[in-house]
Amino acid sequence: MDPHNTSVLQAEQGQIQIHTENIFPIIKKAVYSGHEVFLRELVSNGVDAISKRRMAAMAGDCLEGSEGLISIRINREANTLTISDNGIGMDADEVKRYINQVAFSSAEDFLEKYKQESDAIIGHFGLGFYSSFMVAKQVEMVSLSAKQGSEAVRWSCDGSPNFTLEAAERNEPGTDVVLHLMDEELEYIEPSRIRTLITTYCDFMPVAVQLEGETVNKREAPWRKSPRDLSGDDYIQLYRYLYPFQGDPLLWVHLNTDYPYNLQGILYFPKLGGRADWEKGEIRLYCNQVFVSDSIKEVVPRYLLPLRGVIDSPDIPLNVSRSALQTDRRVRSIGSFVAKKVGDRLKQLHSDEPRRYAEIWESLAPFIKIGAMEDDKFAEQVADLVLFGTTARAQEGGEAELANPDPIPTDRQRASGASAYTTLAGYRGRLAADNSQRILYCTDEAGQAGPLSLWTSQGAEVLLADTFIDSQFIPWLEMRHGELKFQRVDAELDDSLQEKESELADADGKDSSEKIRDLFKSALANDKITIQVQALKGENSPAALILLPEQMRRINDMGALMEQRLPGLPDHHVLLVNRKHSLVEGVLKLSAGSVITGSGISPSQELANGLSRHLYETARLAVGGMEPNELAGYQQRSCDLMGQLMERGL
């Protein structure tokens, strides 16, 4: 600077023009949710200034600068942190206007003049600048405008409405912001802390951010590129960088639109392990490559929150601190756009790579099923994309409706050996005409193994709906398809599973079924248990099993859901006894041969009652209907029963 220049700024003092007596307590307590965001704001301001200089230089309004650079320096002795940029800078009048009058925004004024490339302007300089007072007891700013003939100025403030503005020395256009840190904020002179903040908030800013001369940020934001310019490995590398040690994503969706709003992003389907976060989520929100938040439940529909990745949009309305989202019609529209793009990607994968789609179905299913139940438009998109495991075997050249013509082993081998998936339409297409409205399904292959085996042994195809979500999804499907009846395999057994044979009555006019029913009713002595006796087909049909009428079971399941507990066995249920089973035939003979004396029940009748109770309790155990505190008694009674049987056999 020329020391003989008579136009050097004369030092002056004044008060910051604001609309409240003191803005700093408001900034510290109300505007920003965390002190660390001061670095994001100051670096963002520097990036803004660099973008402004580039655009103004193109218009011939200022000097063209070298490549944009944000430099951060630490002075441990003075407890200061300095953030510098080589952007457009400010002269004295601009400092008075943009720094002292917080109500004004340089970004708004600048955009009014330079309409093009508006997305390069990140935020409101004035308020963002004042976030520095969350960590600093005094802030100095030295700035030199890139306009021809400008002079450097120094602005200083101690956190009160009072400031000092005077001439300064600076060789190149740009701005230095020097923070004199408070004693309780000295964590920000630790290089590791600053490096972490740069990586968190500034990693994908388009300008190099250096700490003590070393560039820390990546600069390049892949989601801002065209999908044509990215390989599959590029997408995977970004995922690994954002979510280290989480494995690779299953698939991704590239978002890119500039109408009716500006939005870019990449969303990934992770391989879900354990409980997903359906309330907060892990998608990161950026505004012009500046990290804003990792909680965007106001932007994307709830059913997509466990997706991972990035959404970057300057059109999502934020509050002045960018730490919270404001819900409005545009936000809802953006959420609908994201959901549609996700649905389109799923349809494409299902169409182009059905085997791959089936392989990753278990991880896709929660998104699709919950989304369908919560969003009618999304339900229309994915109506033909819902898969079910099926007991049908997929053979080479077999049914085209099966998602995988060759069985694909799943991560969890099914007890029935099923490894094929089918759509509901494919399943219905294979049903006989007289049963085309009944959809058989199983929710627990182990607990429902008995009735499941009965159905499949007679050639019936059963859908496997074995996730927690299916307890709500099946009724939703039934409501959506009013002509269909969804029946769980243990709800009831139809005539196709029963032997049709006549029974002979004894002298008392009772056939064997009636005698068995009387025997079990007497042994159990519980009016809430309905006893049914049938002759079941198949050599391996069970001796007894529990049946749960569909509507009664659903009411029980709904009550458990509302009370946030696991559904147990309803008090009212059906015990189906297979009269053709050798054990049941033996119990009936044992009971018929007993002799009741005047002293009470005979040993044979007591043993028949014990065996009847044992058959019932074993059927309860198979469906998880026995409480843990009942197991000890069951084990003891089983041992006693075996002892009695051994005594009779010796």
Side-chain angles (χ1 to χ4, degrees), residues 312-452:
D312 188 341
S313 175
D315 291 338
I316 294 177
L318 308 172
N319 68 7
V320 290
S321 72
R322 314 185 211 197
S323 61
L325 304 180
Q326 300 171 359
T327 303
D328 66 0
R329 182 178 299 177
R330 173 165 291 190
V331 170
R332 291 192 294 272
S333 177
I334 288 174
S336 298
F337 168 79
V338 172
K340 183 180 185 305
K341 289 300 181 182
V342 169
D344 289 344
R345 180 69 180 93
L346 292 170
K347 289 173 68 175
Q348 178 191 28
L349 181 66
H350 181 267
S351 174
D352 297 346
E353 302 178 68
R355 184 183 300 277
R356 169 69 175 154
Y357 184 87
E359 287 176 339
I360 64 176
W361 166 249
E362 289 191 10
S363 290
L364 300 180
F367 298 99
I368 294 177
K369 291 177 180 178
I370 294 176
M373 289 188 288
E374 294 186 351
D375 184 339
D376 289 341
K377 290 183 178 179
F378 189 74
E380 292 294 335
Q381 273 190 288
V382 301
D384 299 325
L385 307 184
V386 177
L387 300 185
F388 292 94
T390 174
T391 57
R393 299 298 188 270
Q395 303 294 334
E396 187 68 42
E399 293 289 345
E401 289 84 3
L402 287 177
N404 47 332
D406 296 316
I408 299 176
T410 57
D411 294 337
R412 179 180 55 200
Q413 285 294 330
R414 302 181 184 279
S416 66
S419 55
Y421 285 100
T422 183
T423 62
L424 182 59
Y427 172 85
R428 294 184 65 190
R430 292 185 292 276
L431 293 177
D434 55 343
N435 281 325
S436 61
Q437 308 304 318
R438 184 187 63 189
I439 311 298
L440 287 173
Y441 70 99
C442 169
T443 60
D444 182 351
E445 293 177 72
Q448 297 155 25
L452 176 61

Side-chain angles (χ1 to χ4, degrees), residues 71-244:
S71 177
I72 301 176
R73 301 185 300 279
I74 294 171
N75 186 328
R76 286 181 174 274
E77 294 182 0
N79 290 339
T80 62
L81 185 69
T82 301
I83 296 92
S84 301
D85 67 70
N86 58 354
I88 198 168
M90 289 181 284
D91 59 23
D93 289 338
E94 289 169 326
V95 170
K96 292 176 185 178
R97 184 177 184 188
Y98 300 144
I99 300 302
N100 295 346
Q101 299 182 31
V102 177
F104 288 85
S105 167
S106 62
E108 291 178 355
D109 290 348
F110 191 84
L111 283 179
E112 186 63 31
K113 184 175 182 181
Y114 301 100
K115 296 290 188 181
Q116 57 188 355
E117 300 188 52
S118 61
D119 65 334
I121 307 303
I122 294 176
H124 298 271
F125 184 85
L127 192 57
F129 170 77
Y130 277 102
S131 68
S132 56
F133 285 96
M134 293 190 298
V135 297
K137 56 188 175 184
Q138 182 179 359
V139 177
E140 294 180 69
M141 183 181 66
V142 179
S143 189
L144 175 61
S145 173
K147 296 176 183 177
Q148 292 278 5
S150 296
E151 301 172 355
V153 296
R154 180 190 306 276
W155 179 93
S156 178
C157 181
D158 62 1
S160 71
N162 301 310
F163 69 89
T164 298
L165 182 63
E166 58 188 349
E169 293 285 340
R170 201 179 198 280
N171 296 326
E172 297 293 333
T175 302
D176 298 332
V177 179
V178 184
L179 308 182
H180 297 262
L181 296 173
M182 301 175 189
D183 293 341
E184 62 269 27
E185 304 289 350
L186 293 182
E187 64 180 282
Y188 298 112
I189 62 171
E190 295 297 332
S192 60
R193 183 75 168 106
I194 298 301
R195 181 179 292 271
T196 298
L197 294 182
I198 294 172
T199 302
T200 299
Y201 293 105
C202 314
D203 212 8
F204 297 101
M205 287 183 179
V207 174
V209 181
Q210 293 187 348
L211 176 61
E212 304 295 345
E214 177 190 355
T215 300
V216 177
N217 62 328
K218 293 177 69 67
R219 296 186 59 182
E220 196 171 78
W223 59 86
R224 306 277 288 200
K225 294 184 176 182
S226 168
R228 295 189 299 271
D229 298 329
L230 296 174
S231 66
D233 188 60
D234 292 329
Y235 288 105
I236 292 175
Q237 290 303 321
L238 174 63
Y239 184 85
R240 290 174 178 173
Y241 180 75
L242 294 175
Y243 306 97

